[in-house]
Amino acid sequence: MLRRKVPACLLAALLIATGPVAARGRGDALVLVELAPGTTRARLERELRARSARLVAILPEAGVALARGGGRSVSRLLRSGAAVRVLTRAAPETLAAAAPAPKKLALDAWSSFLAGDSGGGAVPGGLEKDALIPPDWWDVEPTVEALALAPSSGASRPFGAGWENTSEYLAGSVSLNLILMESDGSVDPSSEDWSPSQESQVVAAAYAAAADLQQMYPHAGLSFTIHVFPGRTDPRARTSYEPISRPADPSGTGGEELWVTEILERFGYATGSRLTRSRRFADATRLADGTDWAVNVFVANSENDGDGRFGDGYFAYSWVGGPHVVMTTDNDGWGIARMDMVLRHELHHSFYALDEYAASACDCLAASGYLAGTNDNCENLCGTVTACVMRDNAALSCPATVKQVGLLDSDGDGTPDVLSSPPEISLRLDSADPSCDGLARFSGTAQVVPYPNSNPLNATPRRDISILRIAAVEMRVDGGPWTESGVTAADGAFDGPVEEFSRTLSLGAGRHSVEARARDDRGNVSLPASRSVEVVGEAAPVGATLTVSLEGGTARLRWAPAAGAASYRIYRAASPRALAGAVPVAETAVPDWADASTGNAFYEVTSVDACGRESAGQK
């Protein structure tokens, strides 16, 4: 297919604004990309990497993505055909007005994001009662215990994860379901009604939280897929209750149990406890998105509420380790303009971070997360503490939080330990040894190796999990250079946690050492696996060294050993011409044979290699 070159004047028209904007002070310039139809997240990430840019978040239903990188650099996506427009400033009103509802919401959110509060200035005190330790997983839904014990092999789940393991450590790709709950007034009077402006502010907060998390953990490879379900237009996000008029009651039956359960049933999750339903929704989302993890965020409109809190004082909280976060739009005194700060804090809880502010009654010795990180930055008599997202909501992390969310880099090489485990590989020789045709057929298995899970909490089954993928298998012969050439994946591509591979080598005569090693998508390399194979060369003829002598009436044949010979065949006939059709009268492994027969005889000796191939004869 021919690809037309995009004229420079058209590029300038499609790149809205004249230069990149370092949006809200969040590091490198952030831009909004309107995707071409059919552009997948995988393709977009490849195209961005090729231009030294990164995906921050993609909104599939809207067909837009938030990217980190200079506007001029990202604008080159237009030439690739992956994008139709790159926005560095607010979307023109005419563009947003003409867009379908999901895209209009995403464009309005981008404008709100650019115009929003950066999070500076005075902020309220710490969050309150916002980290909820879930019950042990086997007590949440006893009827699914047997299923929970069997890790799934679903292609899109991280290696080793089951459906319950939806947010084990804060690295890789994360799906967010933003559920903007709307009361239909059928049980409780409806006191809150979402407006398009409020919806765009919530999505803008998700943009900002995603950008902050990526900036806070640059070596974690974070990116987000965001789905928005506005109850104003989506019946699945509606409830017969008015959430803000009730207590949150997260551990009881009078609040979250009512509206979360009802909404999840409308999404198709009608059995099990609300935590089980929510986790299954998160799992189904990541399977559909091809992401590593997923978190659900239930947002209650509180604009008309006096204090922006639920009836029992809650305004934002998360179940530690997932599966969901609950927030109000006002978030007490934080306000909707700083909702991003609250959301990034709560998402840390979803990945097992504990609170560090004194009012949370934090415990210095408490441990949490995949790496069992202790709460050393807790304000309650734990010694020196530092600014941290879990202490004062700063866009900063501290060693205690880093370890709790699973991102400790113990050797300081720039890669978190959970992403540093080298893969393992096995190598098999599938053809005969020795090889008679000069070909050696190899196959093997390359597999990622999860870093051990030491989580002391039991929110989900404690499984060793890896989000890494095999990226390549290399082979070499007799200590030569490593090469990927000729190594093929059984499924057509090296992109999964377990890959079967094969390669056929053409080798010269002799014994050869063949090695294989695997490399994952973070550059970790396995120890090599090796096999040896012998290639049989054709035996050399006996040649002129053949002699015949009479010794006591016996004909004695002797010859020099022939290179590559495993044995020798002796032919005898009454005349030289008859040797052409003769059959062997003997086969010997040594270059010496005695013939006690009588009468005139003519002889021919051939060399035979280990594969049974016969050389030219010597008469």
Side-chain angles (χ1 to χ4, degrees):
M1 179 180 69
L2 294 176
R3 179 175 293 158
R4 294 181 179 177
K5 184 177 180 180
V6 181
C9 59
L10 181 56
L11 278 175
L14 294 175
L15 176 61
I16 307 299
T18 58
V21 176
R24 306 181 72 179
R26 288 182 161 86
D28 299 334
L30 295 171
V31 297
L32 195 74
V33 180
E34 184 179 350
L35 305 177
T39 297
T40 63
R41 181 173 64 89
R43 181 190 175 190
L44 178 61
E45 287 184 309
R46 288 195 303 270
E47 298 285 359
L48 287 170
R49 281 196 301 269
R51 292 156 180 82
S52 300
R54 294 181 64 186
L55 174 67
V56 177
I58 186 170
L59 285 74
E61 291 80 11
V64 303
L66 186 66
R68 188 185 300 277
R72 294 295 178 187
S73 174
V74 178
S75 70
R76 296 189 182 98
L77 285 173
L78 300 171
R79 292 192 178 97
S80 75
V84 296
R85 188 176 287 105
V86 175
L87 298 174
T88 61
R89 299 190 186 278
E93 291 184 7
T94 53
L95 177 64
K103 183 168 291 185
K104 183 180 188 306
L105 174 55
L107 294 173
D108 289 344
W110 171 244
S111 299
S112 179
F113 171 75
L114 293 176
D117 182 9
S118 66
V123 296
L127 300 172
E128 302 174 23
K129 303 185 294 183
D130 73 305
L132 305 179
I133 304 298
D136 292 339
W137 65 268
W138 52 79
D139 291 331
V140 173
E141 193 63 48
T143 59
V144 299
E145 181 173 346
L147 175 62
L149 286 170
S152 169
S153 59
S156 294
R157 290 191 184 106
F159 182 71
W163 64 268
E164 316 93 327
N165 305 110
T166 51
S167 51
E168 297 297 317
Y169 48 83
L170 190 54
S173 53
V174 182
S175 292
L176 295 180
N177 288 320
L178 301 182
I179 303 152
L180 313 186
M181 300 182 292
E182 179 75 75
S183 172
D184 63 15
S186 60
V187 174
D188 296 338
S190 176
S191 60
E192 306 282 353
D193 293 299
W194 284 93
S195 68
S197 174
Q198 287 176 307
E199 292 168 352
S200 66
Q201 285 180 285
V202 172
V203 177
Y207 287 169
D212 284 348
L213 289 169
Q214 189 183 79
Q215 191 78 0
M216 290 168 67
Y217 304 110
H219 302 301
L222 280 170
S223 66
F224 295 83
T225 298
I226 300 174
H227 303 279
V228 187
F229 304 99
R232 182 175 61 88
T233 57
D234 190 335
R236 295 173 297 176
R238 294 175 189 163
T239 172
S240 56
Y241 308 96
E242 181 58 84
I244 196 62
S245 70
R246 289 180 171 264
D249 193 19
S251 299
T253 59
E256 177 187 317
E257 174 71 21
L258 298 174
W259 29 271
V260 167
T261 301
E262 185 178 46
I263 287 173
L264 288 171
E265 183 169 352
R266 293 183 177 186
F267 275 95
Y269 301 90
T271 59
S273 71
R274 70 179 183 277
L275 292 180
T276 294
R277 297 183 193 201
S278 184
R279 207 172 287 281
R280 285 196 176 279
F281 182 30
D283 179 55
T285 301
R286 66 148 167 214
L287 287 173
D289 290 343
T291 52
D292 299 313
W293 318 111
V295 178
N296 306 320
V297 182
F298 293 90
V299 185
N301 194 330
S302 60
E303 183 177 26
N304 298 326
D305 187 76
D307 60 4
R309 295 170 177 257
F310 293 103
D312 50 4
Y314 285 96
F315 61 88
Y317 62 87
S318 176
W319 291 96
V320 174
H324 61 250
V325 172
V326 174
M327 306 178 69
T328 68
T329 52
D330 287 328
N331 295 295
D332 188 33
W334 291 86
I336 196 168
R338 285 184 288 226
M339 189 176 188
D340 57 310
M341 301 173 69
V342 180
L343 179 57
R344 75 180 177 223
H345 177 99
E346 299 304 333
L347 288 175
H348 275 78
H349 284 315
S350 297
F351 287 88
Y352 286 98
L354 301 177
D355 281 320
E356 297 165 358
Y357 55 89
S360 70
C362 56
D363 180 353
C364 311
L365 300 179
S368 180
Y370 197 89
L371 302 179
T374 52
N375 212 18
D376 303 331
N377 202 50
C378 168
E379 289 182 326
N380 290 323
L381 304 177
C382 295
T384 303
V385 296
T386 62
C388 191
V389 63
M390 305 314 292
R391 176 175 172 260
D392 49 22
N393 252 8
L396 301 169
S397 199
C398 53
T401 296
V402 168
K403 188 171 184 181
Q404 287 172 358
V405 297
L407 298 181
L408 175 68
D409 177 12
S410 60
D411 59 5
D413 66 351
T415 300
D417 292 355
V418 293
L419 304 180
S420 294
S421 292
E424 61 185 13
I425 192 169
S426 63
L427 184 63
R428 301 180 294 271
L429 175 62
D430 297 329
S431 54
D433 186 13
S435 169
C436 296
D437 58 3
L439 299 178
R441 299 168 184 84
F442 291 91
S443 65
T445 304
Q447 178 176 303
V448 299
V449 177
Y451 195 86
N453 187 346
S454 302
N455 200 330
L457 302 183
N458 294 310
T460 61
R462 190 179 300 114
R463 299 186 178 113
D464 297 340
I465 297 170
S466 175
I467 64 171
L468 299 173
R469 301 289 187 270
I470 299 298
V473 170
E474 302 171 313
M475 295 180 70
R476 69 176 179 179
V477 179
D478 297 331
W482 291 100
T483 178
E484 300 174 27
S485 178
V487 184
T488 59
D491 61 0
F494 288 107
D495 57 3
V498 181
E499 292 286 355
E500 299 290 331
F501 66 91
S502 62
R503 184 184 180 189
T504 298
L505 294 170
S506 178
L507 302 171
R511 180 152 292 276
H512 300 278
S513 174
V514 178
E515 297 173 282
R517 67 182 185 184
R519 186 178 71 251
D520 65 32
D521 54 358
R522 294 290 295 206
N524 302 305
V525 179
S526 71
L527 293 173
S530 64
R531 291 296 301 265
S532 65
V533 61
E534 178 81 17
V535 174
V536 177
E538 293 187 3
V542 170
T545 64
L546 175 62
T547 63
V548 181
S549 61
L550 284 174
E551 299 179 5
T554 298
R556 193 82 181 190
L557 283 69
R558 292 185 177 89
W559 58 92
S567 63
Y568 305 91
R569 289 176 186 160
I570 295 91
Y571 296 83
R572 184 183 62 204
S575 67
R577 181 174 296 180
L579 281 173
V583 296
V585 295
E587 186 161 347
T588 177
V590 296
D592 188 330
W593 183 72
D595 183 10
S597 63
T598 60
N600 292 333
F602 293 84
Y603 298 95
E604 183 176 8
V605 178
T606 61
S607 303
V608 181
D609 65 26
C611 296
R613 294 173 298 196
E614 200 168 3
S615 72
Q618 179 65 37
K619 299 177 182 179

